[in-house]
Amino acid sequence: MKRFLTEEDRIALRTQHRQEKNRHVEDRIKAVLLSDKG
């Protein structure tokens, strides 16, 4: 499967995931990162 996020996007999402206080938003970010990973 081809990755659809750029390296900058992945870094930004990881940073946002660490700083996020809302658990549901964290889960959504994690889902996007995992689907990009394959």
PDB file of all heavy atoms in Angstrom:
ATOM      1  N   MET A   1       0.843  -1.182   0.000  1.00  0.00           N
ATOM      2  CA  MET A   1       0.000   0.000   0.000  1.00  0.00           C
ATOM      3  C   MET A   1       0.887   1.243   0.000  1.00  0.00           C
ATOM      4  O   MET A   1       1.863   1.314   0.736  1.00  0.00           O
ATOM      5  CB  MET A   1      -0.905  -0.017   1.218  1.00  0.00           C
ATOM      6  CG  MET A   1      -1.791   1.192   1.330  1.00  0.00           C
ATOM      7  SD  MET A   1      -2.876   1.056   2.750  1.00  0.00           S
ATOM      8  CE  MET A   1      -4.409   1.288   1.916  1.00  0.00           C
ATOM      9  N   LYS A   2       0.518   2.185  -0.814  1.00  0.00           N
ATOM     10  CA  LYS A   2       1.304   3.400  -0.928  1.00  0.00           C
ATOM     11  C   LYS A   2       0.954   4.375   0.195  1.00  0.00           C
ATOM     12  O   LYS A   2      -0.204   4.521   0.564  1.00  0.00           O
ATOM     13  CB  LYS A   2       1.012   4.059  -2.279  1.00  0.00           C
ATOM     14  CG  LYS A   2       1.875   5.251  -2.546  1.00  0.00           C
ATOM     15  CD  LYS A   2       1.583   5.855  -3.895  1.00  0.00           C
ATOM     16  CE  LYS A   2       2.452   7.070  -4.059  1.00  0.00           C
ATOM     17  NZ  LYS A   2       1.982   7.963  -5.072  1.00  0.00           N
ATOM     18  N   ARG A   3       1.974   5.020   0.729  1.00  0.00           N
ATOM     19  CA  ARG A   3       1.745   6.014   1.774  1.00  0.00           C
ATOM     20  C   ARG A   3       1.136   7.269   1.182  1.00  0.00           C
ATOM     21  O   ARG A   3       1.492   7.699   0.100  1.00  0.00           O
ATOM     22  CB  ARG A   3       3.055   6.360   2.465  1.00  0.00           C
ATOM     23  CG  ARG A   3       3.567   5.221   3.309  1.00  0.00           C
ATOM     24  CD  ARG A   3       4.701   5.669   4.150  1.00  0.00           C
ATOM     25  NE  ARG A   3       4.801   4.769   5.289  1.00  0.00           N
ATOM     26  CZ  ARG A   3       5.632   4.947   6.273  1.00  0.00           C
ATOM     27  NH1 ARG A   3       6.452   5.962   6.281  1.00  0.00           N
ATOM     28  NH2 ARG A   3       5.661   4.103   7.271  1.00  0.00           N
ATOM     29  N   PHE A   4       0.210   7.865   1.903  1.00  0.00           N
ATOM     30  CA  PHE A   4      -0.458   9.061   1.411  1.00  0.00           C
ATOM     31  C   PHE A   4      -0.086  10.304   2.204  1.00  0.00           C
ATOM     32  O   PHE A   4      -0.452  11.408   1.815  1.00  0.00           O
ATOM     33  CB  PHE A   4      -1.980   8.876   1.393  1.00  0.00           C
ATOM     34  CG  PHE A   4      -2.572   8.485   2.718  1.00  0.00           C
ATOM     35  CD1 PHE A   4      -2.961   9.447   3.624  1.00  0.00           C
ATOM     36  CD2 PHE A   4      -2.745   7.150   3.033  1.00  0.00           C
ATOM     37  CE1 PHE A   4      -3.518   9.092   4.837  1.00  0.00           C
ATOM     38  CE2 PHE A   4      -3.291   6.781   4.244  1.00  0.00           C
ATOM     39  CZ  PHE A   4      -3.684   7.749   5.152  1.00  0.00           C
ATOM     40  N   LEU A   5       0.656  10.156   3.303  1.00  0.00           N
ATOM     41  CA  LEU A   5       1.112  11.299   4.083  1.00  0.00           C
ATOM     42  C   LEU A   5       2.582  11.580   3.780  1.00  0.00           C
ATOM     43  O   LEU A   5       3.365  10.659   3.592  1.00  0.00           O
ATOM     44  CB  LEU A   5       0.972  11.022   5.583  1.00  0.00           C
ATOM     45  CG  LEU A   5      -0.433  10.867   6.143  1.00  0.00           C
ATOM     46  CD1 LEU A   5      -0.374  10.455   7.599  1.00  0.00           C
ATOM     47  CD2 LEU A   5      -1.213  12.143   5.994  1.00  0.00           C
ATOM     48  N   THR A   6       2.929  12.843   3.766  1.00  0.00           N
ATOM     49  CA  THR A   6       4.337  13.193   3.617  1.00  0.00           C
ATOM     50  C   THR A   6       5.015  13.057   4.976  1.00  0.00           C
ATOM     51  O   THR A   6       4.347  12.942   6.019  1.00  0.00           O
ATOM     52  CB  THR A   6       4.499  14.639   3.121  1.00  0.00           C
ATOM     53  OG1 THR A   6       3.985  15.526   4.111  1.00  0.00           O
ATOM     54  CG2 THR A   6       3.786  14.860   1.796  1.00  0.00           C
ATOM     55  N   GLU A   7       6.330  13.072   4.976  1.00  0.00           N
ATOM     56  CA  GLU A   7       7.071  12.967   6.230  1.00  0.00           C
ATOM     57  C   GLU A   7       6.715  14.127   7.163  1.00  0.00           C
ATOM     58  O   GLU A   7       6.578  13.933   8.365  1.00  0.00           O
ATOM     59  CB  GLU A   7       8.576  12.947   5.949  1.00  0.00           C
ATOM     60  CG  GLU A   7       9.417  12.688   7.183  1.00  0.00           C
ATOM     61  CD  GLU A   7       9.149  11.345   7.848  1.00  0.00           C
ATOM     62  OE1 GLU A   7       8.812  10.385   7.129  1.00  0.00           O
ATOM     63  OE2 GLU A   7       9.282  11.263   9.084  1.00  0.00           O
ATOM     64  N   GLU A   8       6.534  15.320   6.611  1.00  0.00           N
ATOM     65  CA  GLU A   8       6.165  16.480   7.434  1.00  0.00           C
ATOM     66  C   GLU A   8       4.792  16.286   8.061  1.00  0.00           C
ATOM     67  O   GLU A   8       4.570  16.651   9.226  1.00  0.00           O
ATOM     68  CB  GLU A   8       6.177  17.769   6.602  1.00  0.00           C
ATOM     69  CG  GLU A   8       7.545  18.186   6.124  1.00  0.00           C
ATOM     70  CD  GLU A   8       7.968  17.473   4.844  1.00  0.00           C
ATOM     71  OE1 GLU A   8       7.099  16.975   4.095  1.00  0.00           O
ATOM     72  OE2 GLU A   8       9.183  17.403   4.609  1.00  0.00           O
ATOM     73  N   ASP A   9       3.859  15.704   7.298  1.00  0.00           N
ATOM     74  CA  ASP A   9       2.521  15.431   7.831  1.00  0.00           C
ATOM     75  C   ASP A   9       2.585  14.430   8.978  1.00  0.00           C
ATOM     76  O   ASP A   9       1.910  14.602   9.998  1.00  0.00           O
ATOM     77  CB  ASP A   9       1.604  14.878   6.742  1.00  0.00           C
ATOM     78  CG  ASP A   9       1.247  15.901   5.685  1.00  0.00           C
ATOM     79  OD1 ASP A   9       1.343  17.110   5.971  1.00  0.00           O
ATOM     80  OD2 ASP A   9       0.901  15.477   4.565  1.00  0.00           O
ATOM     81  N   ARG A  10       3.387  13.378   8.809  1.00  0.00           N
ATOM     82  CA  ARG A  10       3.511  12.374   9.862  1.00  0.00           C
ATOM     83  C   ARG A  10       4.097  12.981  11.135  1.00  0.00           C
ATOM     84  O   ARG A  10       3.615  12.697  12.239  1.00  0.00           O
ATOM     85  CB  ARG A  10       4.378  11.204   9.395  1.00  0.00           C
ATOM     86  CG  ARG A  10       3.647  10.270   8.450  1.00  0.00           C
ATOM     87  CD  ARG A  10       4.429   9.006   8.167  1.00  0.00           C
ATOM     88  NE  ARG A  10       5.574   9.213   7.313  1.00  0.00           N
ATOM     89  CZ  ARG A  10       5.535   9.301   5.993  1.00  0.00           C
ATOM     90  NH1 ARG A  10       4.385   9.188   5.372  1.00  0.00           N
ATOM     91  NH2 ARG A  10       6.626   9.480   5.296  1.00  0.00           N
ATOM     92  N   ILE A  11       5.111  13.817  10.991  1.00  0.00           N
ATOM     93  CA  ILE A  11       5.719  14.459  12.156  1.00  0.00           C
ATOM     94  C   ILE A  11       4.713  15.366  12.852  1.00  0.00           C
ATOM     95  O   ILE A  11       4.592  15.361  14.082  1.00  0.00           O
ATOM     96  CB  ILE A  11       6.981  15.242  11.742  1.00  0.00           C
ATOM     97  CG1 ILE A  11       8.081  14.262  11.325  1.00  0.00           C
ATOM     98  CG2 ILE A  11       7.474  16.135  12.876  1.00  0.00           C
ATOM     99  CD1 ILE A  11       9.260  14.926  10.642  1.00  0.00           C
ATOM    100  N   ALA A  12       3.962  16.135  12.070  1.00  0.00           N
ATOM    101  CA  ALA A  12       2.967  17.041  12.643  1.00  0.00           C
ATOM    102  C   ALA A  12       1.874  16.264  13.380  1.00  0.00           C
ATOM    103  O   ALA A  12       1.457  16.658  14.481  1.00  0.00           O
ATOM    104  CB  ALA A  12       2.358  17.902  11.546  1.00  0.00           C
ATOM    105  N   LEU A  13       1.426  15.159  12.801  1.00  0.00           N
ATOM    106  CA  LEU A  13       0.387  14.363  13.459  1.00  0.00           C
ATOM    107  C   LEU A  13       0.905  13.699  14.730  1.00  0.00           C
ATOM    108  O   LEU A  13       0.192  13.628  15.731  1.00  0.00           O
ATOM    109  CB  LEU A  13      -0.167  13.309  12.503  1.00  0.00           C
ATOM    110  CG  LEU A  13      -1.139  13.829  11.457  1.00  0.00           C
ATOM    111  CD1 LEU A  13      -1.476  12.729  10.464  1.00  0.00           C
ATOM    112  CD2 LEU A  13      -2.395  14.369  12.104  1.00  0.00           C
ATOM    113  N   ARG A  14       2.133  13.212  14.709  1.00  0.00           N
ATOM    114  CA  ARG A  14       2.708  12.624  15.930  1.00  0.00           C
ATOM    115  C   ARG A  14       2.815  13.658  17.038  1.00  0.00           C
ATOM    116  O   ARG A  14       2.517  13.378  18.203  1.00  0.00           O
ATOM    117  CB  ARG A  14       4.084  12.030  15.642  1.00  0.00           C
ATOM    118  CG  ARG A  14       4.032  10.736  14.901  1.00  0.00           C
ATOM    119  CD  ARG A  14       5.432  10.126  14.796  1.00  0.00           C
ATOM    120  NE  ARG A  14       5.502   9.277  13.628  1.00  0.00           N
ATOM    121  CZ  ARG A  14       6.319   9.458  12.605  1.00  0.00           C
ATOM    122  NH1 ARG A  14       7.179  10.444  12.597  1.00  0.00           N
ATOM    123  NH2 ARG A  14       6.302   8.637  11.580  1.00  0.00           N
ATOM    124  N   THR A  15       3.239  14.860  16.682  1.00  0.00           N
ATOM    125  CA  THR A  15       3.348  15.934  17.669  1.00  0.00           C
ATOM    126  C   THR A  15       1.976  16.291  18.229  1.00  0.00           C
ATOM    127  O   THR A  15       1.813  16.423  19.445  1.00  0.00           O
ATOM    128  CB  THR A  15       3.992  17.179  17.024  1.00  0.00           C
ATOM    129  OG1 THR A  15       5.271  16.819  16.511  1.00  0.00           O
ATOM    130  CG2 THR A  15       4.143  18.298  18.030  1.00  0.00           C
ATOM    131  N   GLN A  16       0.989  16.418  17.344  1.00  0.00           N
ATOM    132  CA  GLN A  16      -0.359  16.734  17.793  1.00  0.00           C
ATOM    133  C   GLN A  16      -0.916  15.614  18.668  1.00  0.00           C
ATOM    134  O   GLN A  16      -1.594  15.874  19.658  1.00  0.00           O
ATOM    135  CB  GLN A  16      -1.272  16.968  16.598  1.00  0.00           C
ATOM    136  CG  GLN A  16      -2.664  17.393  16.990  1.00  0.00           C
ATOM    137  CD  GLN A  16      -3.549  17.636  15.789  1.00  0.00           C
ATOM    138  OE1 GLN A  16      -3.098  17.587  14.653  1.00  0.00           O
ATOM    139  NE2 GLN A  16      -4.813  17.888  16.038  1.00  0.00           N
ATOM    140  N   HIS A  17      -0.609  14.369  18.331  1.00  0.00           N
ATOM    141  CA  HIS A  17      -1.088  13.225  19.102  1.00  0.00           C
ATOM    142  C   HIS A  17      -0.552  13.274  20.527  1.00  0.00           C
ATOM    143  O   HIS A  17      -1.268  13.015  21.484  1.00  0.00           O
ATOM    144  CB  HIS A  17      -0.657  11.922  18.416  1.00  0.00           C
ATOM    145  CG  HIS A  17      -1.104  10.704  19.142  1.00  0.00           C
ATOM    146  ND1 HIS A  17      -0.286  10.032  20.010  1.00  0.00           N
ATOM    147  CD2 HIS A  17      -2.281  10.034  19.139  1.00  0.00           C
ATOM    148  CE1 HIS A  17      -0.934   9.002  20.507  1.00  0.00           C
ATOM    149  NE2 HIS A  17      -2.151   8.981  19.991  1.00  0.00           N
ATOM    150  N   ARG A  18       0.724  13.627  20.681  1.00  0.00           N
ATOM    151  CA  ARG A  18       1.314  13.704  22.025  1.00  0.00           C
ATOM    152  C   ARG A  18       0.727  14.846  22.847  1.00  0.00           C
ATOM    153  O   ARG A  18       0.636  14.735  24.067  1.00  0.00           O
ATOM    154  CB  ARG A  18       2.826  13.881  21.920  1.00  0.00           C
ATOM    155  CG  ARG A  18       3.559  12.615  21.560  1.00  0.00           C
ATOM    156  CD  ARG A  18       5.041  12.757  21.772  1.00  0.00           C
ATOM    157  NE  ARG A  18       5.620  13.765  20.894  1.00  0.00           N
ATOM    158  CZ  ARG A  18       6.145  13.536  19.694  1.00  0.00           C
ATOM    159  NH1 ARG A  18       6.190  12.311  19.230  1.00  0.00           N
ATOM    160  NH2 ARG A  18       6.650  14.504  18.973  1.00  0.00           N
ATOM    161  N   GLN A  19       0.340  15.937  22.204  1.00  0.00           N
ATOM    162  CA  GLN A  19      -0.140  17.111  22.925  1.00  0.00           C
ATOM    163  C   GLN A  19      -1.653  17.124  23.131  1.00  0.00           C
ATOM    164  O   GLN A  19      -2.152  17.922  23.923  1.00  0.00           O
ATOM    165  CB  GLN A  19       0.263  18.380  22.162  1.00  0.00           C
ATOM    166  CG  GLN A  19       1.754  18.565  22.103  1.00  0.00           C
ATOM    167  CD  GLN A  19       2.149  19.722  21.191  1.00  0.00           C
ATOM    168  OE1 GLN A  19       1.322  20.249  20.459  1.00  0.00           O
ATOM    169  NE2 GLN A  19       3.413  20.088  21.253  1.00  0.00           N
ATOM    170  N   GLU A  20      -2.356  16.239  22.457  1.00  0.00           N
ATOM    171  CA  GLU A  20      -3.818  16.244  22.488  1.00  0.00           C
ATOM    172  C   GLU A  20      -4.337  15.787  23.846  1.00  0.00           C
ATOM    173  O   GLU A  20      -3.842  14.840  24.433  1.00  0.00           O
ATOM    174  CB  GLU A  20      -4.357  15.331  21.394  1.00  0.00           C
ATOM    175  CG  GLU A  20      -5.845  15.373  21.230  1.00  0.00           C
ATOM    176  CD  GLU A  20      -6.362  16.749  20.897  1.00  0.00           C
ATOM    177  OE1 GLU A  20      -5.844  17.380  19.962  1.00  0.00           O
ATOM    178  OE2 GLU A  20      -7.282  17.197  21.591  1.00  0.00           O
ATOM    179  N   LYS A  21      -5.349  16.475  24.343  1.00  0.00           N
ATOM    180  CA  LYS A  21      -5.960  16.132  25.622  1.00  0.00           C
ATOM    181  C   LYS A  21      -7.228  15.283  25.439  1.00  0.00           C
ATOM    182  O   LYS A  21      -7.578  14.503  26.307  1.00  0.00           O
ATOM    183  CB  LYS A  21      -6.330  17.404  26.374  1.00  0.00           C
ATOM    184  CG  LYS A  21      -5.167  18.344  26.584  1.00  0.00           C
ATOM    185  CD  LYS A  21      -4.817  18.457  28.030  1.00  0.00           C
ATOM    186  CE  LYS A  21      -3.753  19.492  28.288  1.00  0.00           C
ATOM    187  NZ  LYS A  21      -2.413  18.985  28.094  1.00  0.00           N
ATOM    188  N   ASN A  22      -7.885  15.445  24.306  1.00  0.00           N
ATOM    189  CA  ASN A  22      -9.121  14.719  24.030  1.00  0.00           C
ATOM    190  C   ASN A  22      -8.779  13.318  23.516  1.00  0.00           C
ATOM    191  O   ASN A  22      -8.147  13.155  22.484  1.00  0.00           O
ATOM    192  CB  ASN A  22      -9.939  15.487  22.992  1.00  0.00           C
ATOM    193  CG  ASN A  22     -11.299  14.883  22.767  1.00  0.00           C
ATOM    194  OD1 ASN A  22     -11.536  13.713  23.061  1.00  0.00           O
ATOM    195  ND2 ASN A  22     -12.210  15.678  22.225  1.00  0.00           N
ATOM    196  N   ARG A  23      -9.221  12.310  24.236  1.00  0.00           N
ATOM    197  CA  ARG A  23      -8.897  10.924  23.914  1.00  0.00           C
ATOM    198  C   ARG A  23      -9.443  10.498  22.547  1.00  0.00           C
ATOM    199  O   ARG A  23      -8.807   9.741  21.821  1.00  0.00           O
ATOM    200  CB  ARG A  23      -9.467  10.023  25.004  1.00  0.00           C
ATOM    201  CG  ARG A  23      -9.022   8.607  24.894  1.00  0.00           C
ATOM    202  CD  ARG A  23      -7.540   8.550  25.063  1.00  0.00           C
ATOM    203  NE  ARG A  23      -7.178   7.418  25.865  1.00  0.00           N
ATOM    204  CZ  ARG A  23      -5.929   7.040  26.016  1.00  0.00           C
ATOM    205  NH1 ARG A  23      -4.980   7.713  25.444  1.00  0.00           N
ATOM    206  NH2 ARG A  23      -5.632   6.029  26.744  1.00  0.00           N
ATOM    207  N   HIS A  24     -10.620  10.992  22.189  1.00  0.00           N
ATOM    208  CA  HIS A  24     -11.216  10.614  20.908  1.00  0.00           C
ATOM    209  C   HIS A  24     -10.403  11.158  19.739  1.00  0.00           C
ATOM    210  O   HIS A  24     -10.229  10.480  18.724  1.00  0.00           O
ATOM    211  CB  HIS A  24     -12.664  11.099  20.821  1.00  0.00           C
ATOM    212  CG  HIS A  24     -13.560  10.444  21.820  1.00  0.00           C
ATOM    213  ND1 HIS A  24     -13.946   9.131  21.730  1.00  0.00           N
ATOM    214  CD2 HIS A  24     -14.125  10.916  22.950  1.00  0.00           C
ATOM    215  CE1 HIS A  24     -14.710   8.818  22.753  1.00  0.00           C
ATOM    216  NE2 HIS A  24     -14.831   9.894  23.520  1.00  0.00           N
ATOM    217  N   VAL A  25      -9.907  12.375  19.886  1.00  0.00           N
ATOM    218  CA  VAL A  25      -9.085  12.963  18.836  1.00  0.00           C
ATOM    219  C   VAL A  25      -7.770  12.203  18.729  1.00  0.00           C
ATOM    220  O   VAL A  25      -7.277  11.948  17.624  1.00  0.00           O
ATOM    221  CB  VAL A  25      -8.842  14.472  19.102  1.00  0.00           C
ATOM    222  CG1 VAL A  25      -7.900  15.067  18.086  1.00  0.00           C
ATOM    223  CG2 VAL A  25     -10.160  15.224  19.110  1.00  0.00           C
ATOM    224  N   GLU A  26      -7.200  11.814  19.862  1.00  0.00           N
ATOM    225  CA  GLU A  26      -5.978  11.000  19.852  1.00  0.00           C
ATOM    226  C   GLU A  26      -6.191   9.716  19.060  1.00  0.00           C
ATOM    227  O   GLU A  26      -5.332   9.325  18.270  1.00  0.00           O
ATOM    228  CB  GLU A  26      -5.569  10.622  21.282  1.00  0.00           C
ATOM    229  CG  GLU A  26      -4.851  11.679  22.040  1.00  0.00           C
ATOM    230  CD  GLU A  26      -4.419  11.176  23.412  1.00  0.00           C
ATOM    231  OE1 GLU A  26      -4.770  10.039  23.801  1.00  0.00           O
ATOM    232  OE2 GLU A  26      -3.720  11.922  24.096  1.00  0.00           O
ATOM    233  N   ASP A  27      -7.312   9.064  19.297  1.00  0.00           N
ATOM    234  CA  ASP A  27      -7.602   7.809  18.600  1.00  0.00           C
ATOM    235  C   ASP A  27      -7.747   8.025  17.097  1.00  0.00           C
ATOM    236  O   ASP A  27      -7.288   7.201  16.299  1.00  0.00           O
ATOM    237  CB  ASP A  27      -8.874   7.173  19.156  1.00  0.00           C
ATOM    238  CG  ASP A  27      -8.696   6.643  20.572  1.00  0.00           C
ATOM    239  OD1 ASP A  27      -7.531   6.462  20.996  1.00  0.00           O
ATOM    240  OD2 ASP A  27      -9.715   6.423  21.250  1.00  0.00           O
ATOM    241  N   ARG A  28      -8.363   9.121  16.700  1.00  0.00           N
ATOM    242  CA  ARG A  28      -8.510   9.416  15.267  1.00  0.00           C
ATOM    243  C   ARG A  28      -7.154   9.650  14.618  1.00  0.00           C
ATOM    244  O   ARG A  28      -6.884   9.166  13.521  1.00  0.00           O
ATOM    245  CB  ARG A  28      -9.378  10.665  15.062  1.00  0.00           C
ATOM    246  CG  ARG A  28     -10.801  10.504  15.471  1.00  0.00           C
ATOM    247  CD  ARG A  28     -11.579   9.883  14.337  1.00  0.00           C
ATOM    248  NE  ARG A  28     -12.943   9.662  14.753  1.00  0.00           N
ATOM    249  CZ  ARG A  28     -13.986   9.938  14.025  1.00  0.00           C
ATOM    250  NH1 ARG A  28     -13.828  10.447  12.840  1.00  0.00           N
ATOM    251  NH2 ARG A  28     -15.184   9.679  14.468  1.00  0.00           N
ATOM    252  N   ILE A  29      -6.289  10.402  15.297  1.00  0.00           N
ATOM    253  CA  ILE A  29      -4.951  10.666  14.763  1.00  0.00           C
ATOM    254  C   ILE A  29      -4.180   9.359  14.632  1.00  0.00           C
ATOM    255  O   ILE A  29      -3.520   9.112  13.619  1.00  0.00           O
ATOM    256  CB  ILE A  29      -4.197  11.671  15.652  1.00  0.00           C
ATOM    257  CG1 ILE A  29      -4.864  13.039  15.602  1.00  0.00           C
ATOM    258  CG2 ILE A  29      -2.740  11.769  15.233  1.00  0.00           C
ATOM    259  CD1 ILE A  29      -4.342  14.033  16.617  1.00  0.00           C
ATOM    260  N   LYS A  30      -4.269   8.519  15.637  1.00  0.00           N
ATOM    261  CA  LYS A  30      -3.576   7.236  15.611  1.00  0.00           C
ATOM    262  C   LYS A  30      -4.089   6.369  14.457  1.00  0.00           C
ATOM    263  O   LYS A  30      -3.312   5.692  13.795  1.00  0.00           O
ATOM    264  CB  LYS A  30      -3.737   6.498  16.931  1.00  0.00           C
ATOM    265  CG  LYS A  30      -2.834   5.278  17.044  1.00  0.00           C
ATOM    266  CD  LYS A  30      -3.020   4.571  18.368  1.00  0.00           C
ATOM    267  CE  LYS A  30      -2.382   5.369  19.463  1.00  0.00           C
ATOM    268  NZ  LYS A  30      -2.391   4.670  20.760  1.00  0.00           N
ATOM    269  N   ALA A  31      -5.390   6.402  14.206  1.00  0.00           N
ATOM    270  CA  ALA A  31      -5.964   5.628  13.108  1.00  0.00           C
ATOM    271  C   ALA A  31      -5.424   6.102  11.766  1.00  0.00           C
ATOM    272  O   ALA A  31      -5.111   5.283  10.898  1.00  0.00           O
ATOM    273  CB  ALA A  31      -7.475   5.738  13.142  1.00  0.00           C
ATOM    274  N   VAL A  32      -5.294   7.407  11.600  1.00  0.00           N
ATOM    275  CA  VAL A  32      -4.752   7.945  10.351  1.00  0.00           C
ATOM    276  C   VAL A  32      -3.300   7.518  10.184  1.00  0.00           C
ATOM    277  O   VAL A  32      -2.878   7.081   9.101  1.00  0.00           O
ATOM    278  CB  VAL A  32      -4.879   9.484  10.307  1.00  0.00           C
ATOM    279  CG1 VAL A  32      -4.117  10.061   9.134  1.00  0.00           C
ATOM    280  CG2 VAL A  32      -6.337   9.894  10.242  1.00  0.00           C
ATOM    281  N   LEU A  33      -2.518   7.622  11.257  1.00  0.00           N
ATOM    282  CA  LEU A  33      -1.110   7.234  11.174  1.00  0.00           C
ATOM    283  C   LEU A  33      -0.959   5.742  10.879  1.00  0.00           C
ATOM    284  O   LEU A  33      -0.106   5.344  10.071  1.00  0.00           O
ATOM    285  CB  LEU A  33      -0.388   7.592  12.486  1.00  0.00           C
ATOM    286  CG  LEU A  33      -0.149   9.089  12.713  1.00  0.00           C
ATOM    287  CD1 LEU A  33       0.325   9.324  14.135  1.00  0.00           C
ATOM    288  CD2 LEU A  33       0.846   9.633  11.721  1.00  0.00           C
ATOM    289  N   LEU A  34      -1.780   4.919  11.502  1.00  0.00           N
ATOM    290  CA  LEU A  34      -1.694   3.484  11.249  1.00  0.00           C
ATOM    291  C   LEU A  34      -2.154   3.104   9.856  1.00  0.00           C
ATOM    292  O   LEU A  34      -1.571   2.207   9.227  1.00  0.00           O
ATOM    293  CB  LEU A  34      -2.500   2.718  12.294  1.00  0.00           C
ATOM    294  CG  LEU A  34      -1.888   2.685  13.699  1.00  0.00           C
ATOM    295  CD1 LEU A  34      -2.866   2.048  14.686  1.00  0.00           C
ATOM    296  CD2 LEU A  34      -0.568   1.967  13.705  1.00  0.00           C
ATOM    297  N   SER A  35      -3.177   3.764   9.352  1.00  0.00           N
ATOM    298  CA  SER A  35      -3.625   3.445   7.990  1.00  0.00           C
ATOM    299  C   SER A  35      -2.587   3.891   6.955  1.00  0.00           C
ATOM    300  O   SER A  35      -2.446   3.265   5.912  1.00  0.00           O
ATOM    301  CB  SER A  35      -4.980   4.081   7.699  1.00  0.00           C
ATOM    302  OG  SER A  35      -4.894   5.478   7.686  1.00  0.00           O
ATOM    303  N   ASP A  36      -1.859   4.952   7.259  1.00  0.00           N
ATOM    304  CA  ASP A  36      -0.781   5.383   6.364  1.00  0.00           C
ATOM    305  C   ASP A  36       0.355   4.366   6.382  1.00  0.00           C
ATOM    306  O   ASP A  36       0.982   4.110   5.362  1.00  0.00           O
ATOM    307  CB  ASP A  36      -0.263   6.753   6.789  1.00  0.00           C
ATOM    308  CG  ASP A  36       0.863   7.250   5.905  1.00  0.00           C
ATOM    309  OD1 ASP A  36       0.637   7.387   4.690  1.00  0.00           O
ATOM    310  OD2 ASP A  36       1.965   7.498   6.428  1.00  0.00           O
ATOM    311  N   LYS A  37       0.575   3.774   7.532  1.00  0.00           N
ATOM    312  CA  LYS A  37       1.648   2.781   7.673  1.00  0.00           C
ATOM    313  C   LYS A  37       1.321   1.478   6.943  1.00  0.00           C
ATOM    314  O   LYS A  37       2.214   0.776   6.478  1.00  0.00           O
ATOM    315  CB  LYS A  37       1.871   2.515   9.172  1.00  0.00           C
ATOM    316  CG  LYS A  37       3.098   1.728   9.481  1.00  0.00           C
ATOM    317  CD  LYS A  37       3.289   1.660  10.987  1.00  0.00           C
ATOM    318  CE  LYS A  37       4.545   0.932  11.336  1.00  0.00           C
ATOM    319  NZ  LYS A  37       4.747   0.872  12.784  1.00  0.00           N
ATOM    320  N   GLY A  38       0.026   1.193   6.838  1.00  0.00           N
ATOM    321  CA  GLY A  38      -0.373  -0.018   6.124  1.00  0.00           C
ATOM    322  C   GLY A  38      -0.909  -0.989   7.042  1.00  0.00           C
ATOM    323  O   GLY A  38      -1.386  -1.881   7.260  1.00  0.00           O
TER     324      GLY A  38
END
